Structure formats: structure tokens, C-alpha cells
Amino acid sequence: MIAVRAATPSDAEGIWSILEPTIRGGETYTLPRDMSRDAALAWWFSPGHEVFVAEEDGAAVGTYFLRANQQGGGAHVANCGYITAPRAMGRGVARTMCAHSLERARARGFRAMQFNFVVSTNERAVRLWESFGFEVVGQLPGAFEHPAAGFVDALVMYRNL
């Protein structure tokens, strides 16, 4: 069973073990592939990010953050970033984290959720977000330089809460 809980500073190593392969792979996040551990953790735990960890049998298998997408007049729209450990892909970790994030966003009073930059070649994520009712509301042609596929589109996905 996958359980999601608020992250604590003691989760840093487990979270880094999840972030590092994704950052180094450079296929889904707009982060420098050579980003240091400290810089990555500082970004993941940025002020305004509420960070969670997904665990299975006591081991971290995923992490996500929840934040306001914008300030001021846009602060009622949530935004999240999710990463699943490579060893746990295909086991429902991302689905569990997304369901948790939607509940948490509603509890915090957000009225909608927006994903600003979903790499179009990340087809599993696109299908998953669509299964939760997200719609593609914008397409940014060639906005992401994928290490294998070259310049690919990024999608803006949105849903009301």
C-alpha cells in the first residue's frame, strides 16, 4: 500500500534519491541536468512549497510539492510537481500522489489546479492527468529541448476543483 505524508527535513536523502534520476535524465523537468543535490533540494523545498513523500513499506517511492501557481489574483489556482522513483514506476505512485494533491488543494481552498509545463513526450503523465479530469488548455510549440527527441512541445493542463 502506498501512503502519502508531509515531508520532513529527515526525508531529504530519500527525496534526493527520487529527484536525482529525473533531473539527470532531463526528459521531464526544466532543471539543469547537472544540478547539485543541495540546489535541487532547496528548489523542491522552496518557500511556498508544501512537500509530501509517498512511501511503500517504509521506503520513499515518490514525492510531490503543492503551491499556489501565482501570487495575488492567481493565488486561488494550485500547481504541483510530482516525481516517482524509477524503481516504483507503473505501480500507482503518481496516481496516489495526484489524488492526494487534489484533496489537499481543495482543503487549502484552491479553486483549480494548473500544470504549467507538461512535456508532451511524457505520455504516461499526460494520460494520467487527463484521467483525473485535466484538459490541455495550451500548447507551447518546441518549448522543451528533450535530450533524445529534440525540441518538443510543452502542454499547459488545467482543471477546476
Side-chain angles (χ1 to χ4, degrees), residues 68 70 72-78 109-113 158 161:
Q70 300 293 331
H76 62 284
V77 178
F110 288 109
R111 297 174 49 109
M113 188 175 287
Y158 185 90
L161 297 176

Side-chain angles (χ1 to χ4, degrees), residues 1-5 10-11 14-15 17-18 53-62 87 91:
M1 182 174 144
I2 299 164
V4 180
R5 62 168 176 78
S10 67
D11 291 312
I15 289 174
S17 74
I18 295 166
V53 63
E55 293 181 321
E56 186 176 50
D57 298 324
V61 292
R87 69 186 184 283
R91 297 201 331 242

Side-chain angles (χ1 to χ4, degrees), residues 14-37:
I15 289 174
W16 172 240
S17 74
I18 295 166
L19 299 180
E20 185 180 24
T22 296
I23 292 170
R24 300 289 178 251
E27 295 181 356
T28 57
Y29 271 80
T30 58
L31 300 172
R33 293 175 73 181
D34 62 352
M35 189 176 212
S36 73
R37 172 196 175 278

Side-chain angles (χ1 to χ4, degrees), residues 67-132:
R67 68 177 180 187
N69 192 48
Q70 300 293 331
Q71 298 178 38
H76 62 284
V77 178
N79 173 259
C80 290
Y82 311 84
I83 299 182
T84 299
R87 69 186 184 283
M89 288 186 178
R91 297 201 331 242
V93 176
R95 178 170 295 283
T96 300
M97 290 191 297
C98 186
H100 187 273
S101 69
L102 292 169
E103 290 175 20
R104 181 68 187 137
R106 281 187 204 97
R108 285 186 49 185
F110 288 109
R111 297 174 49 109
M113 188 175 287
Q114 178 175 318
F115 301 148
N116 300 320
F117 205 95
V118 180
V119 178
S120 61
T121 54
N122 191 357
E123 294 173 1
R124 286 177 65 178
V126 172
R127 283 193 310 272
L128 178 60
W129 308 151
E130 288 175 336
S131 78
F132 276 97

